[in-house]
């Protein structure tokens, strides 16, 4: 446990939570991080500017040797692990397991140390030195692959004297922050930034594609595809329902909550309405009426003039408007000259008025005003027995 | 070696229901392999492209129940183009020839055509159970053939599918002789149903336990149905709109009083909340309540309803319940195991929603909570740490902060510590979804602590390749990893390629992975399918720029090589 004494203060609290050594070794056995000692050394000695190192992580642009060394320490096995198991097969079991363990743990170490040291409130600079020392020992001695695991054990022991990890220790987080500005020499150190969001602003991080990457900016909820992660039929619940669910079903029906196309949630529902004898149709917004009576009176308003004009034109060919423009009444009960029917979403022609208003609105596709005299001659409803308006009604 | 009769082995294996146990058992020796394969009746295939139907049939000749999953999970959020794949038809064709005894089929995120349903209904005389979750491609005509031809159908369960509603009268296609229905769920259908046929069907199926109606079934019809089926255990209300003192409402109240077995309530696709008290009598026994489709209920009504539900184990609601409402849940529902809080107005300004306080209240009041899906607009590390301490039993933890990169709103720190506490405390965590401002640190924690983690969803998180590597190197049980809009590139992708063969799939979209990286992966790992989905430029083969970033990549292990039904915009490297 000598190694740790060299490095008096750097004992990441995190590590006492690391499962015991054996478990780690076992975990790494089948793992992909089987790397020989030699390769690790190669890596470490490589110049801090190699492609594989730089790519994808713009922060590590060889700031200073310490950083690059530490960063190298992060990547050892991972970087060269292209032929995972074949590499480890070259080593004896010990080597592979320790090596593999080190691979992951080194990653842990490099980052956790800085992070955790910050929580200790220790100034970064001193931790860096000691970290450098810590790293150099296993790295430099070819013959001690075991040092790393031992180092962790040592740290573990020391750990126990220290306070618990930061996420169990809220106060440590703000404490670390003031320490940060002092470490301007390490402005773009990856480890520093890990713990301190304020530093992130200066990091040339590879930004998230959709969001300008700065913790200090609050990104407005821009419409991002597939965000928030909810299914399409949950997206429009608010816009398609009224805030006051009145029993009379002002809440218009089936637009809501169905696995929907966007147009289902629009605030208007315009449907065509044609009248027998009038060549030009109209459009009505069903959502502006709450009940059949209002619809009926709207139809009257829309077509009364047109109908009269039509009659005049056909009758006398002149534009004399007579004073007696008859109101169109009795549309719903069959008592008038005209009757209102509609075509539903299944293509059937139905008599208006059988079903509750909200249900009608949800299934209507177009309206038609027919002459009542022609009604018996028409097929109302489909030919199949089950689907007559009376059956499907809710009497 | 002592002779151990295979019949005994088979009998013992009958007690093994878990797929993993059976898989393990089949690897012991050849004889066990043989016995196991002949006795396996239920097969689960998590990725329909991982293996071909012929091979499944060759290995397991006597399958009676099959579960198939198709599209990647992000297809739920419109990230996967419509025709990507996942067709069930070839499976049904193959099974029609070889599995005459097929009884159950369960499909998730697959494309199911009417032809498939027709073939299914005609090929398996003993077919009993069809469960379709998040599927598409079929219409009510397909349902009609199922209704008409499956003589012993017990379960028809349609969950959140996209179904084209035609003129069919599929409910009427159940023959009069059909009396075997136990479960019928058509809540996701948009169109009208024949109410008379529905009533008659319900009346002649005495074993009906679960009935979930769609919005076209009005309240007036509901009381008739409930009267005919007082034995129902699970009810999904369709439309619940009327005046509170109408005759229909009174009749409904009486009908509800008669339904003494109801444990699960859902639906309320349209609702007039002053009528909710009709259900108070059954609230006492409710274990499952899903009001997440019911936007019209006011907060107070909802809370009053929940006050009656002391035995609730599963609760799905909308976030207008607010933190106060969650406090009521916490004090009332001590048995709560699963909670999902969906956003009522995700694109809106954020009126009444839930915050971290509600979550903390739940964690304090509901110690049995193990599954969470929580949409909110703000979160803090302190709250997450608190939750982690109170509820160490989480198996599923999904947090979605609507603003994708929002930090802790009090300290402005990333949420690394909070999520770190969750993974460290919840040793049984199997599924995790992250959101908020997150650095590589959170992935370090996940890699270190989340030993049982099987599925991880990442969006707008991380800073460098290290983040992804921590996870790939650390989570030994990881099966599904899905990442979007995060700065992970080729290094992260290529460093631990062996890992992908231990996983079901990897999804990366809008990340920094390049075409060259994907090609390298495909070359190194021939037993993976590396699919590039590029909708914008379908002639991707002609673009030789390996440095170009890939829009969407889906990698999965497979025994079948590149699939032959991939559309133009999918390029398997």
């Amino acid at each position: 446990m000598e190694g740790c004494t060299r490095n008096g203060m750097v004992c990441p609290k995190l590590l006492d939570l690391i499962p015991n050594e054996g478990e780690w070794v076992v975990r790494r056995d089948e793992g992909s991080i089987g790397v020989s000692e030699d390769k690790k050394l190669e890596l470490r000695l490589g110049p801090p500017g190699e492609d594989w190192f730089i790519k994808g992580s713009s922060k590590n642009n060889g700031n200073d040797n310490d950083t690059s060394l530490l960063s190298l320490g992060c990547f050892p096995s991972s970087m060269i692990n292209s032929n995972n198991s074949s590499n480890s097969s070259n080593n004896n079991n010990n080597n592979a397991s320790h090596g593999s363990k080190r691979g992951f743990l080194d990653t842990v170490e490099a980052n956790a140390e800085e992070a955790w040291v910050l929580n200790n409130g220790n100034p970064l600079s001193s931790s860096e030195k000691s970290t450098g020392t810590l790293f150099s020992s296993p790295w430099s001695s070819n013959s001690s692959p075991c040092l790393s695991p031992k180092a962790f054990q040592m740290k573990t022991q020391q750990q126990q004297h220290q306070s618990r990890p930061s996420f169990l220790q809220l106060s440590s987080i703000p404490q670390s922050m003031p320490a940060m500005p002092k470490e301007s020499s390490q402005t773009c150190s990856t480890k520093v930034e890990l713990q301190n969001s304020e530093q992130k602003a200066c990091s040339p991080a590879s930004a998230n594609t959709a969001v300008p990457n700065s913790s200090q900016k609050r990104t407005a909820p821009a419409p991002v595809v597939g965000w928030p992660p909810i299914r399409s039929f949950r997206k429009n619940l608010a816009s398609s329902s009224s805030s006051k669910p009145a029993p009379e079903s002002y809440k218009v029906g089936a637009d809501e909550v169905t696995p929907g196309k966007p147009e289902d949630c629009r605030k208007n529902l315009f449907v065509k309405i044609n009248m027998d004898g009038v060549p030009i149709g109209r459009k009505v917004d069903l959502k502006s009426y709450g009940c059949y009576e209002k619809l009926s009176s709207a139809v009257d308003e829309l077509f009364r003039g047109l109908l009269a004009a039509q009659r005049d034109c056909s009758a006398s060919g002149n534009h004399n408007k007579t004073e007696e423009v008859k109101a169109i009444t009795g549309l719903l009960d069959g008592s008038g000259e005209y009757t209102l029917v509609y075509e539903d979403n299944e293509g059937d022609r139905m008599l208006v008025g059988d079903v509750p208003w909200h249900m009608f609105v949800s299934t209507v596709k177009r309206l038609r005003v027919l002459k009542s005299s022609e009604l018996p001659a028409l097929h109302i409803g489909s030919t199949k027995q089950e689907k007559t308006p009376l059956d499907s009604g809710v009497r | 070696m002592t002779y151990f009769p295979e019949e005994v082995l088979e009998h013992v294996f009958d007690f093994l229901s878990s797929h993993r146990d059976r898989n393990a058992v089949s690897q012991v020796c050849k004889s066990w392999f043989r016995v196991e394969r002949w006795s396996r009746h239920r097969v689960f295939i998590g990725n329909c492209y991982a293996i071909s139907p012929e091979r499944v049939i060759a290995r397991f000749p006597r399958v009676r129940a099959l579960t198939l999953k198709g599209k990647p999970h992000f297809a739920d959020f419109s990230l996967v183009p419509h025709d990507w794949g996942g067709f069930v038809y070839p499976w049904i064709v193959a099974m029609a020839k070889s599995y005459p005894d097929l009884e159950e089929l369960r499909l998730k995120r697959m494309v199911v055509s009417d032809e498939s349903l027709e073939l299914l209904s005609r090929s398996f005389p003993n077919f009993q159970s069809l469960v379709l979750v998040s599927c598409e491609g079929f219409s009510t005509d397909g349902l009609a053939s199922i209704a008409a031809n499956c003589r012993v159908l017990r379960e028809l369960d349609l969950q959140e599918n996209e179904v084209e509603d035609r003129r069919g009268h599929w409910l009427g296609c159940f023959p009069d002789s059909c009396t075997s229905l136990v479960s019928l769920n058509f809540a996701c259908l948009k169109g009208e149903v024949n109410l008379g046929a529905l009533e008659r069907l319900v009346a002649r199926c005495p074993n009906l336990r679960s009935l979930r109606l769609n919005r076209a079934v009005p309240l007036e019809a509901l009381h008739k149905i409930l009267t005919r089926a007082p034995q129902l255990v699970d009810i999904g209300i369709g439309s619940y709109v009327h005046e509170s003192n109408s005759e229909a409402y009174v009749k409904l109240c009486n009908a509800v009083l008669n339904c003494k077995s109801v444990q699960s309530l859902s639906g309320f696709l349209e609702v007039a909340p002053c009528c909710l008290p009709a259900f108070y009598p059954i609230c006492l026994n409710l274990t499952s309540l899903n009001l997440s489709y019911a936007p019209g209920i006011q907060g107070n009504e909802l809370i009053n309803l929940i006050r009656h539900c002391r035995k609730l184990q599963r609760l799905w609601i909308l976030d207008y319940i607010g933190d106060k409402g969650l406090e009521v849940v916490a004090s009332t529902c001590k048995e709560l195991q699963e909670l999902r809080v969906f956003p009522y107005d995700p694109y809106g300004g954020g009126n009444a929603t839930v915050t971290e306080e509600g979550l903390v209240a739940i964690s304090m009041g509901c110690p049995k909570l193990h599954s969470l899906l929580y949409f909110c607009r703000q979160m803090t590390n302190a709250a997450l740490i608190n939750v982690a301490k109170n509820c160490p039993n989480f198996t599923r933890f999904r947090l979605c902060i609507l603003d994708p990169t929002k930090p802790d709103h009090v300290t402005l720190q990333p949420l690394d510590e909070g999520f770190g506490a969750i993974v460290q405390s919840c040793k049984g965590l199997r599924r995790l979804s992250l959101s908020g401002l997150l650095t590589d640190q959170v992935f370090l924690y996940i890699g270190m602590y989340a030993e049982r983690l099987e599925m991880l969803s990442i969006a707008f998180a991380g800073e460098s390749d290290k983040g992804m590597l921590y996870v790939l190197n650390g989570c030994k049980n990881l099966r599904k990893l899905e990442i979007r809009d995060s700065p992970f590139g080729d290094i992260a992708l290529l460093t631990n390629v062996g890992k992908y063969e231990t996983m079901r799939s990897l999804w990366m979209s809008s990340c920094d992975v390049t075409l060259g990286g994907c090609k390298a992966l495909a070359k190194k790992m021939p037993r993976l399918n590396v699919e590039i989905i590029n909708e914008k430029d379908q002639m991707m083969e002609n673009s030789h720029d390996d440095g170009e970033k890939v829009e969407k990549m889906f990698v999965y292990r497979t025994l079948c090589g590149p699939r032959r039904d991939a559309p133009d915009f999918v390029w398997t490297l």
Side-chain angles (χ1 to χ4, degrees):
Chain A
M1 308 306 177
E2 310 78 71
C4 199
T5 55
R6 245 177 299 179
N7 146 40
M9 61 193 94
V10 182
C11 288
K13 295 168 292 230
L14 189 62
L15 292 175
D16 71 348
L17 301 166
I18 295 179
N20 64 41
E21 177 184 332
E23 211 179 308
W24 279 99
V25 170
V26 166
R27 269 169 72 160
R28 292 304 113 192
D29 260 351
E30 70 260 33
S32 26
I33 319 182
V35 165
S36 71
E37 183 71 10
D38 292 335
K39 294 236 170 140
K40 282 195 183 181
L41 282 177
E42 272 175 23
L43 254 186
R44 173 182 161 260
L45 296 173
E50 278 186 41
D51 295 348
W52 50 259
F53 181 70
I54 295 296
K55 223 184 265 183
S57 176
S58 46
K59 282 193 281 288
N60 296 324
N61 281 326
N63 289 320
D64 55 18
N65 286 338
D66 267 354
T67 312
S68 51
L69 189 69
L70 293 170
S71 305
L72 272 172
C74 293
F75 288 110
S77 53
S78 36
M79 298 321 293
I80 44 184
N81 182 35
S82 30
N83 306 324
N84 29 358
S85 44
S86 58
N87 279 339
S88 58
S89 63
N90 294 335
N91 314 322
N92 57 36
N93 275 347
N94 263 351
N95 216 2
S97 59
H98 287 301
S100 58
K101 172 177 175 177
R102 183 193 338 219
F104 181 71
L105 288 178
D106 277 333
T107 323
V108 170
E109 215 175 72
N111 300 296
E113 286 202 16
E114 258 59 12
W116 289 110
V117 163
L118 293 177
N119 291 326
N120 272 334
N122 290 335
L124 184 60
S125 46
S126 48
S127 77
E128 273 201 300
K129 290 180 206 148
S130 42
T131 312
T133 316
L134 186 68
F135 266 80
S136 57
S137 52
W139 284 117
S140 53
S141 54
N142 213 350
S143 56
S144 57
C146 310
L147 214 96
S148 179
K150 272 194 201 161
F152 282 99
Q153 279 183 341
M154 296 182 273
K155 276 184 239 158
T156 306
Q157 284 196 341
Q158 267 219 352
Q159 268 306 89
Q160 289 156 6
H161 301 298
Q162 305 206 353
S163 36
R164 292 171 299 152
S166 80
F167 50 65
L168 294 177
Q169 222 188 358
L170 297 175
S171 53
S172 62
I173 299 175
Q175 275 170 18
S176 68
M177 282 165 58
M180 291 332 301
K182 295 180 203 161
E183 313 311 327
S184 49
S185 57
Q186 285 294 319
T187 43
C188 293
S189 157
T190 314
K191 320 334 169 245
V192 168
E193 280 148 6
L194 284 180
Q195 195 60 13
N196 191 334
S197 59
E198 283 174 8
Q199 290 291 344
K200 281 170 70 122
C202 77
S203 84
S206 38
N208 294 329
T209 50
V211 175
N213 184 20
S214 164
S215 60
Q216 301 191 330
K217 278 190 228 162
R218 293 288 175 89
T219 48
V224 178
V225 174
W227 191 267
I230 49 176
R231 304 220 182 148
S232 47
F233 47 79
R234 290 196 188 278
K235 284 186 183 167
N236 298 307
L237 291 180
S239 55
S240 55
S241 76
S242 64
S243 51
K244 287 183 193 162
E248 119 189 55
S249 309
Y250 224 93
K251 247 175 6 145
V252 191
D255 300 335
E256 333 160 24
V257 185
T258 49
K261 307 184 171 118
E263 59 262 26
D264 283 345
C265 70
R266 52 176 193 253
K267 310 256 190 232
N268 308 317
L269 184 62
F270 282 99
V271 295
K272 290 186 197 169
I273 176 164
N274 288 86
M275 185 161 183
D276 274 359
V278 180
I280 305 288
R282 306 291 302 262
K283 266 204 161 175
V284 288
D285 177 10
L286 287 178
K287 294 210 184 186
S288 57
Y289 313 117
C291 60
Y292 289 116
E293 282 68 36
K294 289 187 189 163
L295 174 63
S296 173
S297 54
V299 170
D300 175 33
E301 280 173 36
L302 285 173
F303 283 106
R304 196 195 296 186
L306 281 177
L307 194 61
Q310 202 62 23
R311 285 176 178 161
D312 283 343
C313 286
S314 56
S316 58
N318 58 23
H319 295 286
N320 279 341
K321 275 197 196 149
T322 62
E323 303 288 323
E324 313 133 18
V325 179
K326 273 199 299 187
I328 306 172
T329 55
L331 285 167
L332 298 173
D333 54 14
S335 65
E337 197 184 334
Y338 291 91
T339 302
L340 197 54
V341 301
Y342 72 103
E343 185 180 313
D344 69 3
N345 56 359
E346 295 188 351
D348 298 324
R349 243 187 205 185
M350 313 293 292
L351 201 62
V352 164
D354 282 334
V355 297
W357 172 257
H358 69 279
M359 188 177 294
F360 163 69
V361 173
S362 70
T363 57
V364 62
K365 291 299 169 220
R366 57 194 306 168
L367 288 163
R368 204 167 170 81
V369 186
L370 301 178
K371 282 216 170 119
S372 301
S373 51
E374 292 185 20
L375 274 183
L378 290 172
H379 269 299
I380 298 196
S382 79
T383 51
K384 293 192 191 171
Q385 284 175 0
E386 298 145 63
K387 185 86 167 113
T388 60
L390 291 177
D391 272 0
S392 60
V394 285
R395 305 268 152 99
Chain B
M1 173 167 143
T2 11
Y3 173 65
F4 200 72
E6 292 194 344
E7 294 81 11
V8 178
L9 268 182
E10 191 174 332
H11 183 67
V12 171
F13 290 172
D14 275 347
F15 293 97
L16 294 175
S17 50
S18 138
H19 297 289
R20 291 189 196 179
D21 287 343
R22 279 199 161 252
N23 291 342
V25 140
S26 68
Q27 291 177 320
V28 166
C29 64
K30 281 194 183 160
S31 138
W32 283 38
F33 179 87
R34 198 173 48 244
V35 173
E36 196 282 319
R37 78 180 255 265
W38 281 96
S39 65
R40 173 126 36 161
H41 299 307
R42 316 186 68 88
V43 174
F44 170 86
I45 297 176
N47 175 3
C48 63
Y49 290 120
I51 190 156
S52 71
E54 290 74 28
R55 283 185 73 157
V56 175
I57 292 170
R59 165 104 188 248
F60 300 115
R62 292 216 199 122
V63 166
R64 294 191 209 136
L66 180 68
T67 302
L68 275 177
K69 295 192 182 181
K71 299 188 191 179
H73 172 235
F74 276 174
D76 286 350
F77 318 129
S78 317
L79 286 179
V80 176
H82 184 68
D83 318 318
W84 174 83
F87 306 105
V88 77
Y89 189 70
W91 289 84
I92 298 188
V93 167
M95 291 195 294
K97 290 184 215 142
S98 312
Y99 287 156
D101 295 329
L102 191 73
E103 294 173 2
E104 297 176 25
L105 186 61
R106 193 189 162 101
L107 305 176
K108 186 165 185 179
R109 281 187 217 106
M110 295 201 69
V111 177
V112 182
S113 62
D114 284 342
E115 288 76 22
S116 309
L117 291 176
E118 165 90 26
L119 183 59
L120 176 70
S121 71
R122 294 197 185 281
S123 309
F124 308 107
N126 213 21
F127 194 74
Q128 296 174 17
S129 166
L130 180 63
V131 180
L132 302 178
V133 181
S134 303
C135 296
E136 58 174 359
F138 61 102
S139 74
T140 46
D141 290 349
L143 296 179
S145 46
I146 295 285
N149 303 327
C150 296
R151 306 236 161 248
V152 289
L153 192 69
R154 293 168 33 119
E155 180 175 18
L156 180 59
D157 187 357
L158 308 172
Q159 297 177 27
E160 299 180 342
N161 301 292
E162 295 240 1
V163 184
E164 187 191 336
D165 232 292
R166 295 217 188 125
R167 278 161 144 265
H169 316 293
W170 64 279
L171 262 183
C173 293
F174 281 102
D176 288 339
S177 54
C178 172
T179 58
S180 48
L181 270 187
V182 172
S183 166
L184 178 62
N185 172 7
F186 58 93
C188 64
L189 294 190
K190 303 173 221 177
E192 303 275 340
V193 291
N194 183 316
L195 294 173
L198 175 61
E199 249 182 84
R200 288 191 295 275
L201 180 64
V202 168
R204 64 178 184 267
C205 293
N207 296 323
L208 195 65
R209 292 277 172 276
S210 166
L211 180 63
R212 297 195 181 188
L213 310 167
N214 75 342
R215 58 177 50 253
V217 181
L219 193 121
E220 292 81 358
L222 184 61
H223 89 263
K224 285 188 217 163
I225 290 170
L226 289 185
T227 310
R228 301 246 193 227
Q231 77 282 4
L232 282 176
V233 170
D234 169 15
I235 301 179
I237 309 280
S239 189
Y240 195 64
V241 181
H242 63 103
E243 304 191 21
S244 57
N245 51 3
S246 69
E247 193 189 334
Y249 179 69
V250 172
K251 286 188 192 168
L252 176 69
C253 289
N254 291 333
V256 166
L257 279 175
N258 232 0
C259 292
K260 305 198 196 302
S261 315
V262 174
Q263 292 179 2
S264 167
L265 197 56
S266 63
F268 295 93
L269 305 175
E270 288 175 50
V271 61
C274 43
C275 313
L276 279 186
F279 288 97
Y280 287 175
I282 56 173
C283 284
L284 292 170
N285 287 328
L286 272 189
T287 57
S288 167
L289 180 61
N290 179 353
L291 296 172
S292 64
Y293 299 110
I297 301 182
Q298 306 282 7
N300 284 335
E301 293 289 332
L302 180 57
I303 292 172
N304 286 337
L305 183 72
I306 289 177
R307 276 193 214 277
H308 289 77
C309 304
R310 299 201 159 269
K311 291 196 190 164
L312 217 53
Q313 293 173 14
R314 173 167 28 168
L315 179 62
W316 291 26
I317 41 177
L318 290 169
D319 64 358
Y320 59 69
I321 193 178
D323 288 336
K324 290 281 174 259
L326 288 180
E327 281 164 28
V328 173
V329 173
S331 61
T332 311
C333 309
K334 294 300 182 188
E335 304 293 316
L336 196 66
Q337 297 179 18
E338 176 181 337
L339 175 67
R340 297 198 190 189
V341 181
F342 293 97
Y344 170 64
D345 191 8
Y347 305 109
N351 307 321
T353 65
V354 293
T355 70
E356 73 276 11
E357 293 180 14
L359 184 58
V360 171
I362 291 281
S363 73
M364 293 201 303
C366 308
K368 296 190 184 176
L369 191 68
H370 66 78
S371 172
L372 179 76
L373 171 60
Y374 198 78
F375 284 84
C376 57
R377 290 186 194 272
Q378 61 187 46
M379 186 51 58
T380 62
N381 283 311
L384 285 174
I385 292 168
N386 218 343
V387 168
K389 268 193 259 176
N390 295 333
C391 289
N393 298 322
F394 273 120
T395 56
R396 292 178 199 85
F397 190 88
R398 296 196 274 163
L399 181 69
C400 179
I401 302 171
L402 289 171
D403 183 355
T405 53
K406 188 160 177 178
D408 177 326
H409 73 95
V410 168
T411 65
L412 298 185
Q413 295 285 327
L415 290 172
D416 302 333
E417 299 307 311
F419 281 106
I422 295 281
V423 292
Q424 194 251 333
S425 162
C426 305
K427 310 224 182 292
L429 195 69
R430 297 200 308 263
R431 183 167 179 185
L432 178 65
S433 296
L434 308 170
S435 62
L437 184 67
L438 296 165
T439 70
D440 289 343
Q441 185 74 7
V442 70
F443 300 113
L444 174 62
Y445 293 145
I446 292 173
M448 288 185 65
Y449 295 115
E451 291 185 19
R452 298 254 171 88
L453 194 67
E454 295 175 3
M455 181 168 176
L456 179 62
S457 307
I458 300 170
F460 304 100
E463 297 163 298
S464 75
D465 291 324
K466 276 187 281 183
M468 186 167 159
L469 285 173
Y470 292 146
V471 171
L472 289 177
N473 294 339
C475 300
K476 63 177 173 172
N477 281 313
L478 194 65
R479 291 191 301 159
K480 285 182 281 184
L481 180 59
E482 46 186 27
I483 307 173
R484 61 165 294 183
D485 293 278
S486 300
F488 305 134
D490 293 340
I491 294 175
L493 182 70
L494 294 173
T495 302
N496 189 353
V497 290
K499 177 75 174 173
Y500 306 131
E501 272 192 6
T502 69
M503 291 165 54
R504 186 188 298 174
S505 65
L506 166 70
W507 168 279
M508 292 180 77
S509 61
S510 305
C511 297
D512 293 344
V513 174
T514 69
L515 183 57
C518 295
K519 285 183 178 172
L521 176 62
K523 193 162 172 209
K524 273 184 215 164
M525 304 293 293
R527 284 191 301 197
L528 297 179
N529 273 357
V530 179
E531 291 188 6
I532 310 291
I533 299 167
N534 196 346
E535 293 164 274
K536 289 178 227 151
D537 172 22
Q538 295 197 2
M539 305 300 292
M540 213 176 172
E541 282 102 1
N542 293 341
S543 121
H544 295 292
D545 183 5
D546 282 0
E548 197 178 305
K549 285 194 190 167
V550 158
E551 183 189 317
K552 294 174 186 171
M553 177 195 76
F554 186 51
V555 177
Y556 54 92
R557 66 179 175 191
T558 177
L559 296 173
C560 301
R563 57 184 174 111
R564 272 164 256 143
D565 61 2
D568 286 337
F569 53 81
V570 171
W571 180 22
T572 306
L573 294 172

